Amino acid sequence: MNNAELIVATLQAAGVSHGFGIPSGNVLPLIEAMRVGRLPYVLTAHEGSAAFMADVMGRLTGAPGLCIATLGPGATNLTTGVGNAYLDRSPLLAITCNVPTSQLGRRIQMAIDHHTLFRPITKATLALREGRVASMLAEALEIALSEPLGPAHLDLPEDVALASATEDVPGTPVGRRRHPAPETSLRRAAEILGAARRPVAVVGSSAMRLRNPDVLQSVIDRHRLPFASTTMAKGMVPEDHPLSLGCIERARRQVQRELLRSADLVVGLGYDVVEVEYEAWIGKVPLLSIDVDPVDADRSVTIAHEVIGDLDASLEWLAQRPALRPEWPATMTAQHRDRFYRSLSTHVGGIRAPPCDRRCSRGAPPRRHPGLRRRRSHPPDRVAVDGARAAHISDHERLVINGVRAAGSHRGEARPPAAPGGGPDR
């Protein structure tokens, strides 16, 4: 077994099912090991596409997505998708193949410092060297799978890939969760929440990584919390729930801001500011943050309290507290939701977006990759073209990419066949 084959065996043991990329001379030892080891290599039109595919694979499956590129321009092309995975908290491994170790650091054609390139957009960038292949790969997998999730970069010189392996396949990494929040912090949060008369919860993208996503709705139901969601968290609690207020900070955002600023407490449940910063919409309403990370907010935001720790544990604790009795009018959520969705139905020039979205959803055949296994805690089950309107899409078929917004990415490689009788209405 050479080191490239050791890498493939380790990736398979970690649940990696596909790799995405473009071949070149330095990449060939790893691609050949993937062929022999039956780890599918998906040829893409551009390394940027490979990184976005790996991002989404990691988000859907929970195992790190894998993208592969050659040195220099291949590595630089990966960076947009890798940067998106970094901001959107997707587990991913980016492997760049390189010149032989004896040529590292020289002014060789296409050669650049990959570690300097990837350091700002990954959780770690590690060098694979003879005798330290399995250990470095295990460390990268552990880093990518540890909360908050994200990408790790590995640099693989060609001679290291071809050298005989001197290590065994390491144990399967599981990633490290955050420690539970201190009991004193949780009790203070309960006191603040209990004192509020018009609390509103806002669910964010950290909630997509809950091990038990049902606990989120348990908190909403037990404490009768009216709730809104960010775009990436849409569907974590169904949007036809009687307490749902809809999506914030997309279309008709001023309608949502008016309601949120009438609250006397905003409860951020897994709210990650990579989607939209608090100061954009919260106004003077105090914030109670319950998340895996500290709040990153402008000084204008009034932070009443922060609960920082494992999100599952924090929500499970809240779900066991005595039920709150907010003083919102009984009809508030239904009236607001009706006003919000009616405001989204305006049209210009005879074309209305919601009917177009519904017709496109009905006309598009379901497309599933046979290698995907879905986790309930990852993609939301309701999304929309404009990111705001509730539109039921079955089987978690759509995802929202937010952090880099896919800017500069390239079209997908696979094109579905034309639908029979396809036309403007399909």
Side-chain angles (χ1 to χ4, degrees):
M1 176 187 290
N2 63 26
N3 282 322
E5 292 166 337
L6 173 63
I7 290 170
V8 169
T10 302
L11 293 173
Q12 289 174 318
V16 176
S17 61
H18 293 76
F20 305 90
I22 295 178
S24 79
N26 302 94
V27 181
L28 293 181
L30 182 57
I31 294 178
E32 175 63 10
M34 294 174 70
R35 183 190 69 81
V36 172
R38 299 185 183 278
L39 177 58
Y41 179 87
V42 180
L43 177 65
T44 64
H46 189 273
E47 290 89 349
S49 299
F52 275 108
M53 292 176 181
D55 174 346
V56 172
M57 283 289 283
R59 203 180 308 186
L60 284 172
T61 68
L66 172 64
C67 54
I68 303 163
T70 192
L71 73 157
T76 60
N77 284 345
L78 278 183
T79 54
T80 301
V82 173
N84 189 82
Y86 180 70
L87 292 174
D88 283 356
R89 310 283 177 95
S90 301
L92 178 147
L93 289 183
I95 299 181
T96 53
C97 297
N98 214 327
V99 296
T101 51
S102 62
Q103 296 181 338
L104 291 174
R106 293 180 55 197
R107 293 186 63 201
I108 304 295
Q109 183 185 31
M110 302 201 322
I112 61 172
D113 186 341
H114 291 167
H115 299 293
T116 299
L117 175 69
F118 282 95
R119 192 168 290 116
I121 57 171
T122 60
K123 295 178 68 180
T125 172
L126 306 172
L128 295 174
R129 299 292 185 265
E130 289 189 47
R132 293 190 295 116
V133 172
S135 59
M136 287 293 99
L137 185 52
E139 182 178 346
L141 289 164
E142 185 81 10
I143 290 170
L145 292 169
S146 292
E147 190 66 45
L149 311 185
H153 165 248
L154 292 159
D155 200 50
L156 176 62
E158 185 177 0
D159 60 319
V160 174
L162 291 169
S164 296
T166 59
E167 304 162 276
D168 296 325
V169 175
T172 302
V174 294
R176 297 179 295 275
R177 306 291 301 188
R178 289 285 200 238
H179 293 297
E183 179 84 9
T184 53
S185 181
L186 289 164
R187 291 193 179 280
R188 178 58 183 152
E191 291 173 2
I192 294 171
L193 192 54
R197 295 293 174 261
R198 300 186 312 280
V200 168
V202 180
V203 181
S205 61
S206 295
M208 292 173 20
R209 303 191 298 276
L210 286 167
R211 299 186 299 278
N212 174 21
D214 292 336
V215 71
L216 181 63
Q217 185 166 339
S218 296
V219 171
I220 297 293
D221 289 341
R222 183 168 186 82
H223 300 300
R224 301 294 300 164
L225 281 174
F227 72 94
S229 74
T230 62
T231 314
M232 294 179 72
K234 285 168 68 68
M236 291 302 300
V237 180
E239 290 186 274
D240 56 5
H241 190 287
L243 293 170
S244 173
L245 301 170
C247 180
I248 68 168
E249 292 305 296
R250 287 295 178 257
R252 303 299 181 183
R253 65 187 65 185
Q254 296 299 340
V255 175
Q256 298 293 55
R257 290 179 183 181
E258 181 182 342
L259 185 282
L260 294 171
R261 291 171 181 175
S262 71
D264 63 358
L265 181 70
V266 166
V267 185
L269 298 179
Y271 189 97
D272 190 330
V273 296
V274 74
E275 292 194 75
V276 60
E277 62 277 11
Y278 276 116
E279 55 265 27
W281 56 266
I282 199 169
K284 300 299 182 182
V285 183
L287 169 67
L288 169 60
S289 172
I290 301 172
D291 195 18
V292 296
D293 284 329
V295 173
D296 181 352
D298 185 78
R299 287 180 295 179
S300 63
V301 177
T302 302
I303 302 175
H305 183 60
E306 298 181 68
V307 175
I308 304 168
D310 181 78
L311 190 56
D312 281 83
S314 296
L315 294 180
E316 287 164 3
W317 190 91
L318 282 176
Q320 300 302 318
R321 296 305 96 195
L324 303 177
R325 291 291 179 264
E327 297 178 2
W328 288 106
T331 59
M332 184 276 290
T333 52
Q335 290 176 346
H336 173 78
R337 195 165 56 243
D338 179 66
R339 178 194 175 200
F340 177 52
Y341 289 136
R342 279 193 293 107
S343 75
L344 292 170
S345 297
T346 57
H347 62 281
V348 176
I351 298 175
R352 298 178 63 215
C356 291
D357 182 38
R358 287 193 292 270
R359 297 192 76 170
C360 289
S361 299
R362 288 196 299 268
R367 296 190 297 276
R368 299 182 180 87
H369 197 293
L372 285 182
R373 59 182 177 85
R374 292 185 173 83
R375 284 174 43 165
R376 290 185 59 203
S377 59
H378 279 259
D381 66 359
R382 288 163 183 262
V383 298
V385 166
D386 65 7
R389 166 168 292 279
H392 184 69
I393 308 298
S394 63
D395 291 330
H396 303 312
E397 284 298 321
R398 299 185 185 176
L399 287 174
V400 175
I401 289 177
N402 175 75
V404 182
R405 300 194 183 279
S409 65
H410 290 245
R411 59 176 169 78
E413 282 61 50
R415 292 188 178 183
D425 64 333
R426 300 290 283 175

PDB file of all heavy atoms in Angstrom, residues 77-89:
ATOM      1  N   ASN A  77      -8.243  28.029  -7.793  1.00  0.00           N
ATOM      2  CA  ASN A  77      -9.624  27.879  -8.256  1.00  0.00           C
ATOM      3  C   ASN A  77     -10.524  27.258  -7.196  1.00  0.00           C
ATOM      4  O   ASN A  77     -11.738  27.472  -7.204  1.00  0.00           O
ATOM      5  CB  ASN A  77      -9.669  27.016  -9.524  1.00  0.00           C
ATOM      6  CG  ASN A  77      -9.210  27.763 -10.752  1.00  0.00           C
ATOM      7  OD1 ASN A  77      -9.115  28.980 -10.749  1.00  0.00           O
ATOM      8  ND2 ASN A  77      -8.911  27.028 -11.810  1.00  0.00           N
ATOM      9  N   LEU A  78      -9.963  26.469  -6.294  1.00  0.00           N
ATOM     10  CA  LEU A  78     -10.769  25.849  -5.232  1.00  0.00           C
ATOM     11  C   LEU A  78     -11.284  26.864  -4.220  1.00  0.00           C
ATOM     12  O   LEU A  78     -12.286  26.614  -3.538  1.00  0.00           O
ATOM     13  CB  LEU A  78      -9.936  24.821  -4.458  1.00  0.00           C
ATOM     14  CG  LEU A  78      -9.741  23.415  -4.994  1.00  0.00           C
ATOM     15  CD1 LEU A  78      -8.927  22.605  -3.989  1.00  0.00           C
ATOM     16  CD2 LEU A  78     -11.065  22.716  -5.267  1.00  0.00           C
ATOM     17  N   THR A  79     -10.631  28.006  -4.109  1.00  0.00           N
ATOM     18  CA  THR A  79     -10.795  28.805  -2.901  1.00  0.00           C
ATOM     19  C   THR A  79     -12.197  29.370  -2.693  1.00  0.00           C
ATOM     20  O   THR A  79     -12.635  29.519  -1.545  1.00  0.00           O
ATOM     21  CB  THR A  79      -9.780  29.964  -2.881  1.00  0.00           C
ATOM     22  OG1 THR A  79      -9.907  30.722  -4.093  1.00  0.00           O
ATOM     23  CG2 THR A  79      -8.365  29.441  -2.771  1.00  0.00           C
ATOM     24  N   THR A  80     -12.924  29.697  -3.767  1.00  0.00           N
ATOM     25  CA  THR A  80     -14.261  30.269  -3.560  1.00  0.00           C
ATOM     26  C   THR A  80     -15.175  29.276  -2.864  1.00  0.00           C
ATOM     27  O   THR A  80     -15.870  29.614  -1.898  1.00  0.00           O
ATOM     28  CB  THR A  80     -14.873  30.721  -4.897  1.00  0.00           C
ATOM     29  OG1 THR A  80     -14.023  31.687  -5.501  1.00  0.00           O
ATOM     30  CG2 THR A  80     -16.244  31.335  -4.675  1.00  0.00           C
ATOM     31  N   GLY A  81     -15.202  28.031  -3.344  1.00  0.00           N
ATOM     32  CA  GLY A  81     -16.051  27.021  -2.706  1.00  0.00           C
ATOM     33  C   GLY A  81     -15.576  26.660  -1.313  1.00  0.00           C
ATOM     34  O   GLY A  81     -16.382  26.433  -0.410  1.00  0.00           O
ATOM     35  N   VAL A  82     -14.264  26.599  -1.115  1.00  0.00           N
ATOM     36  CA  VAL A  82     -13.729  26.307   0.220  1.00  0.00           C
ATOM     37  C   VAL A  82     -14.068  27.442   1.182  1.00  0.00           C
ATOM     38  O   VAL A  82     -14.453  27.217   2.334  1.00  0.00           O
ATOM     39  CB  VAL A  82     -12.209  26.073   0.156  1.00  0.00           C
ATOM     40  CG1 VAL A  82     -11.613  25.937   1.556  1.00  0.00           C
ATOM     41  CG2 VAL A  82     -11.894  24.815  -0.664  1.00  0.00           C
ATOM     42  N   GLY A  83     -13.940  28.681   0.702  1.00  0.00           N
ATOM     43  CA  GLY A  83     -14.309  29.816   1.545  1.00  0.00           C
ATOM     44  C   GLY A  83     -15.774  29.806   1.912  1.00  0.00           C
ATOM     45  O   GLY A  83     -16.154  30.171   3.036  1.00  0.00           O
ATOM     46  N   ASN A  84     -16.630  29.371   0.992  1.00  0.00           N
ATOM     47  CA  ASN A  84     -18.047  29.263   1.308  1.00  0.00           C
ATOM     48  C   ASN A  84     -18.282  28.222   2.399  1.00  0.00           C
ATOM     49  O   ASN A  84     -19.063  28.437   3.327  1.00  0.00           O
ATOM     50  CB  ASN A  84     -18.847  28.882   0.068  1.00  0.00           C
ATOM     51  CG  ASN A  84     -20.336  28.983   0.306  1.00  0.00           C
ATOM     52  OD1 ASN A  84     -20.907  30.060   0.235  1.00  0.00           O
ATOM     53  ND2 ASN A  84     -20.976  27.856   0.621  1.00  0.00           N
ATOM     54  N   ALA A  85     -17.608  27.083   2.297  1.00  0.00           N
ATOM     55  CA  ALA A  85     -17.740  26.054   3.331  1.00  0.00           C
ATOM     56  C   ALA A  85     -17.267  26.572   4.684  1.00  0.00           C
ATOM     57  O   ALA A  85     -17.825  26.220   5.733  1.00  0.00           O
ATOM     58  CB  ALA A  85     -16.945  24.812   2.929  1.00  0.00           C
ATOM     59  N   TYR A  86     -16.251  27.413   4.669  1.00  0.00           N
ATOM     60  CA  TYR A  86     -15.748  27.988   5.919  1.00  0.00           C
ATOM     61  C   TYR A  86     -16.791  28.891   6.564  1.00  0.00           C
ATOM     62  O   TYR A  86     -17.049  28.810   7.778  1.00  0.00           O
ATOM     63  CB  TYR A  86     -14.473  28.767   5.622  1.00  0.00           C
ATOM     64  CG  TYR A  86     -13.836  29.425   6.815  1.00  0.00           C
ATOM     65  CD1 TYR A  86     -13.219  28.673   7.810  1.00  0.00           C
ATOM     66  CD2 TYR A  86     -13.832  30.812   6.944  1.00  0.00           C
ATOM     67  CE1 TYR A  86     -12.629  29.276   8.908  1.00  0.00           C
ATOM     68  CE2 TYR A  86     -13.235  31.428   8.029  1.00  0.00           C
ATOM     69  CZ  TYR A  86     -12.634  30.658   9.011  1.00  0.00           C
ATOM     70  OH  TYR A  86     -12.047  31.263  10.100  1.00  0.00           O
ATOM     71  N   LEU A  87     -17.420  29.745   5.773  1.00  0.00           N
ATOM     72  CA  LEU A  87     -18.403  30.673   6.323  1.00  0.00           C
ATOM     73  C   LEU A  87     -19.721  29.980   6.669  1.00  0.00           C
ATOM     74  O   LEU A  87     -20.380  30.345   7.643  1.00  0.00           O
ATOM     75  CB  LEU A  87     -18.654  31.808   5.330  1.00  0.00           C
ATOM     76  CG  LEU A  87     -17.469  32.763   5.118  1.00  0.00           C
ATOM     77  CD1 LEU A  87     -17.783  33.755   4.014  1.00  0.00           C
ATOM     78  CD2 LEU A  87     -17.113  33.492   6.403  1.00  0.00           C
ATOM     79  N   ASP A  88     -20.108  28.996   5.879  1.00  0.00           N
ATOM     80  CA  ASP A  88     -21.383  28.307   6.103  1.00  0.00           C
ATOM     81  C   ASP A  88     -21.260  27.086   7.001  1.00  0.00           C
ATOM     82  O   ASP A  88     -22.227  26.349   7.194  1.00  0.00           O
ATOM     83  CB  ASP A  88     -22.005  27.902   4.766  1.00  0.00           C
ATOM     84  CG  ASP A  88     -22.658  29.080   4.059  1.00  0.00           C
ATOM     85  OD1 ASP A  88     -22.684  30.173   4.641  1.00  0.00           O
ATOM     86  OD2 ASP A  88     -23.136  28.901   2.926  1.00  0.00           O
ATOM     87  N   ARG A  89     -20.074  26.826   7.531  1.00  0.00           N
ATOM     88  CA  ARG A  89     -19.863  25.751   8.514  1.00  0.00           C
ATOM     89  C   ARG A  89     -20.156  24.368   7.926  1.00  0.00           C
ATOM     90  O   ARG A  89     -20.904  23.582   8.516  1.00  0.00           O
ATOM     91  CB  ARG A  89     -20.706  26.001   9.759  1.00  0.00           C
ATOM     92  CG  ARG A  89     -20.594  27.411  10.360  1.00  0.00           C
ATOM     93  CD  ARG A  89     -19.310  27.583  11.140  1.00  0.00           C
ATOM     94  NE  ARG A  89     -19.130  28.925  11.676  1.00  0.00           N
ATOM     95  CZ  ARG A  89     -19.462  29.312  12.913  1.00  0.00           C
ATOM     96  NH1 ARG A  89     -20.074  28.464  13.702  1.00  0.00           N
ATOM     97  NH2 ARG A  89     -19.203  30.516  13.330  1.00  0.00           N
TER      98      ARG A  89
END
